[in-house]
Amino acid sequence: MADKAHGLNKLKYRIAPFSRYVSPSLFAAALVLIITVIALFVPPYIGMADNGDYFRVLYSNGLYFNTPDYDSLYLGYFNKGFGIFQYFNENGATLTSSQSLLIRLSVWINQWFDKQVFDIRVQGALLTALYTFAVYLFVEAITWRMKRKYGYIVAVLAVFLFADTAYTAFFNSFFSESMVWIMLIYLFASGLLLFRGRYSDYAMMMIFLISGLLLTTSKQQNAPVGIIIAVMGVIIIFVRRQRTFRAMVASSLALLMFAGIATYVLIPKEFVNINKYHAMTRGVLMQSEDPEATLKSFGIDRQYAVLNESIYYEPYTTVDVNSPILEDNFYKHYGFVSILAYYISHPDQAGKMLDIAAKNAFTIRPPAMGNYEKAAGKPFGTQTKFFSGYSELKRALAPKTFGFIVIWMLVITGIYTPQFIAAVKARNVRGMVRLPLVLMLMFMGLSGILVSIIGAGDADLSKHEFLFTAAFDLVTFTAIADAICRNLWQNKPTVHHEP
């Protein structure tokens, strides 16, 4: 017995220096960095194949397709090299997105080494650096003041989630999902750190604002995000009594609200028509028992029922999707609000569309999109299995019904409500912040589903619902981490004394 006790003491003595110098957050961030570097920057390189969307951000940011057989790579193979315009670039911006800031910075850095060919791994390296710090902040927000034995368990689970290549493969691509994922982590982490009173409130609020702006403006579909953040973030105004802080928070929330509205207003008409076409043909009409009667309810000639289930990009169509005929007799008769009203008055059809959306809501990596270069010798469309345990487990086990999503939201809300009530009774505003933050992410995820099916039907749902699957992962991970350290059953709110 004495020998065993001596051995345990010796083991504790050896572990103590590690826990003293390597916090759970640092441990998680370091492992995520190592695994991501191996995945993205060690042959065979991993990225995302182009599904045809790259042109939207490529030309306007000074890049062009310089691979002779590029058309044969669509969907199947990842391509890492693109040409850099050497002279005048006549291409204007196809869409307004914060992603352009990242691309232009990456091109500028790339030109230090090569002025003619852009290597997308430069962008991947920038995103990996941002990602590592985001993971650090998020795990720090959850494990701060947590017992180290629980903290390291949470850190290992964090590596299982955040190092998954279903997420990190987006870094070597021109898809805006990488920006959405990283900025969502920064937004949630900075909010949680405000709740915990960790680090400077002013610094965390700046991260909250910047990440919120970049997230909202990263893609048109995220227009509601700025509005949701502005509404749910009102409580942060009262975290501190100083007028300077309150003015900063209030102006930040107003700016986020404006960004959300501006993102919606600035959607190019071309993309408006694409989404409206699919909203009707791949949504309203597809689930209608009488498409002709449905069109009549919108004031549209019933002959357009022939477009039911068709896709905007089909090479051979009944009518030119860009024709004035369709503009005057089809597109002008409906919009987001009228389709929303239709679904509200037809709950059976709305339920069917929501269940279709739920089937795609838990898939992180879009199906049928390859991750390897053609030179790697893999079959067309091959997706990597390297460190993808979490995404595969989620895809296989997550119930794929909208009813499950509703139950999940109710359970999470019920879990954090007692802490919120306790904070209200204690008049601890900082302690009240956590529930609104969790609700903020859940509403943002839900908006991703609703905007997708109302705005574009079932077209490309697996990509359009990325915001939901990201929000689901962050909220669920937080609840599991709180359960591990038993915070869910402690109704004492965090107490923080202002300096």
Side-chain angles (χ1 to χ4, degrees):
M1 291 295 291
D3 289 341
K4 284 185 178 180
H6 178 70
L8 287 173
N9 288 332
K10 203 171 181 181
L11 181 61
K12 288 180 180 179
Y13 178 78
R14 289 177 178 174
I15 293 175
F18 178 82
S19 62
R20 184 182 304 155
Y21 297 110
V22 181
S23 65
S25 52
L26 183 60
F27 176 71
L31 280 182
V32 168
L33 174 62
I34 292 170
I35 295 168
T36 303
V37 167
I38 293 172
L40 303 186
F41 307 110
V42 175
Y45 306 115
I46 291 172
M48 294 289 289
D50 182 4
N51 69 344
D53 285 348
Y54 280 14
F55 79 94
R56 297 180 181 182
V57 296
L58 210 65
Y59 293 113
S60 60
N61 288 296
L63 301 174
Y64 64 93
F65 301 103
N66 66 340
T67 304
D69 62 339
Y70 192 86
D71 287 351
S72 67
L73 305 180
Y74 281 122
L75 297 175
Y77 293 109
F78 154 59
N79 181 67
K80 68 176 185 294
F82 298 86
I84 302 175
F85 279 114
Q86 299 300 302
Y87 304 104
F88 176 71
N89 180 11
E90 63 181 5
N91 298 284
T94 307
L95 52 84
T96 303
S97 170
S98 59
Q99 185 188 11
S100 293
L101 299 174
L102 172 69
I103 296 174
R104 288 176 182 267
L105 176 59
S106 302
V107 172
W108 180 67
I109 294 174
N110 187 100
Q111 288 179 318
W112 296 351
F113 311 99
D114 191 333
K115 293 185 179 296
Q116 295 185 329
V117 178
F118 174 71
D119 191 326
I120 203 170
R121 291 173 297 173
V122 174
Q123 175 191 278
L126 283 177
L127 287 169
T128 300
L130 281 172
Y131 191 53
T132 303
F133 187 56
V135 171
Y136 174 84
L137 287 180
F138 181 70
V139 178
E140 180 70 9
I142 292 176
T143 61
W144 187 55
R145 290 184 175 174
M146 183 187 289
K147 290 182 179 179
R148 287 299 169 95
K149 63 179 180 180
Y150 297 133
Y152 287 113
I153 294 174
V154 171
V156 170
L157 292 177
V159 174
F160 184 57
L161 165 62
F162 292 109
D164 195 294
T165 51
Y167 276 125
T168 58
F170 278 107
F171 297 175
N172 276 346
S173 79
F174 288 115
F175 294 121
S176 59
E177 276 72 13
S178 56
M179 181 73 77
V180 171
W181 175 229
I182 294 175
M183 291 306 123
L184 190 66
I185 299 171
Y186 273 112
L187 182 76
F188 195 35
S190 57
L192 289 176
L193 289 165
L194 273 167
F195 159 76
R196 302 297 299 274
R198 177 70 164 145
Y199 302 126
S200 165
D201 288 341
Y202 290 93
M204 292 303 102
M205 192 58 219
M206 283 302 298
I207 293 176
F208 188 86
L209 170 62
I210 294 170
S211 58
L213 287 174
L214 293 174
L215 173 62
T216 302
T217 57
S218 60
K219 56 195 307 183
Q220 305 105 327
Q221 183 189 339
N222 289 355
V225 168
I227 300 171
I228 293 171
I229 298 172
V231 173
M232 300 306 297
V234 168
I235 195 171
I236 300 176
I237 296 174
F238 306 101
V239 164
R240 298 179 73 97
R241 295 188 181 93
Q242 290 91 337
R243 289 184 178 179
T244 305
F245 180 80
R246 291 188 173 184
M248 174 188 177
V249 176
S251 57
S252 297
L253 297 179
L255 185 57
L256 286 163
M257 175 78 77
F258 174 77
I261 296 172
T263 300
Y264 177 78
V265 171
L266 293 173
I267 297 176
K269 185 173 179 57
E270 176 191 352
F271 298 123
V272 171
N273 283 351
I274 293 173
N275 291 334
K276 287 180 72 173
Y277 186 89
H278 289 146
M280 184 60 70
T281 64
R282 301 297 307 176
V284 173
L285 294 181
M286 189 174 70
Q287 295 301 326
S288 174
E289 294 181 359
D290 188 349
E292 293 184 359
T294 298
L295 287 172
K296 185 178 179 180
S297 69
F298 283 94
I300 302 173
D301 193 303
R302 63 182 185 178
Q303 67 177 326
Y304 289 99
V306 72
L307 300 177
N308 186 18
E309 297 189 26
S310 64
I311 297 173
Y312 186 92
Y313 299 105
E314 288 178 359
Y316 306 106
T317 59
T318 307
V319 61
D320 181 3
V321 292
N322 293 311
S323 67
I325 294 175
L326 218 59
E327 182 69 40
D328 295 333
N329 301 320
F330 193 69
Y331 296 132
K332 283 186 177 180
H333 290 268
Y334 65 96
F336 188 91
V337 175
S338 59
I339 290 179
L340 175 60
Y342 177 84
Y343 280 129
I344 291 174
S345 61
H346 296 78
D348 54 332
Q349 283 185 235
K352 291 177 182 177
M353 287 301 298
L354 288 171
D355 279 337
I356 290 173
K359 290 179 181 179
N360 296 273
F362 300 96
T363 301
I364 303 171
R365 181 191 287 117
M369 288 176 66
N371 294 130
Y372 292 99
E373 291 182 282
K374 192 173 184 179
K378 304 283 185 179
F380 186 88
T382 300
Q383 295 185 330
T384 181
K385 297 298 181 183
F386 175 73
F387 213 91
S388 57
Y390 173 76
S391 56
E392 291 297 318
L393 192 67
K394 179 182 178 183
R395 183 182 58 82
L397 299 182
K400 296 174 178 60
T401 63
F402 190 74
F404 170 76
I405 294 174
V406 173
I407 293 171
W408 169 75
M409 293 181 70
L410 292 174
V411 169
I412 295 294
T413 303
I415 283 173
Y416 288 106
T417 297
Q419 292 182 346
F420 180 79
I421 294 173
V424 171
K425 290 180 179 179
R427 296 182 179 180
N428 181 357
V429 178
R430 193 178 293 268
M432 301 177 199
V433 172
R434 189 169 199 146
L435 178 60
L437 283 175
V438 170
L439 289 174
M440 178 185 74
L441 253 70
M442 290 197 295
F443 289 153
M444 286 163 57
L446 188 61
S447 76
I449 292 178
L450 296 179
V451 169
S452 295
I453 62 174
I454 296 172
D458 73 342
D460 206 11
L461 268 180
S462 58
K463 272 184 90 278
H464 288 169
E465 293 183 311
F466 181 85
L467 182 60
F468 172 80
T469 198
F472 175 87
D473 286 346
L474 292 180
V475 171
T476 303
F477 181 87
T478 302
I480 292 173
D482 284 339
I484 289 173
C485 68
R486 302 177 184 179
N487 275 346
L488 295 179
W489 298 275
Q490 296 176 4
N491 292 336
K492 289 179 66 178
T494 299
V495 177
H496 175 76
H497 302 286
E498 294 184 23

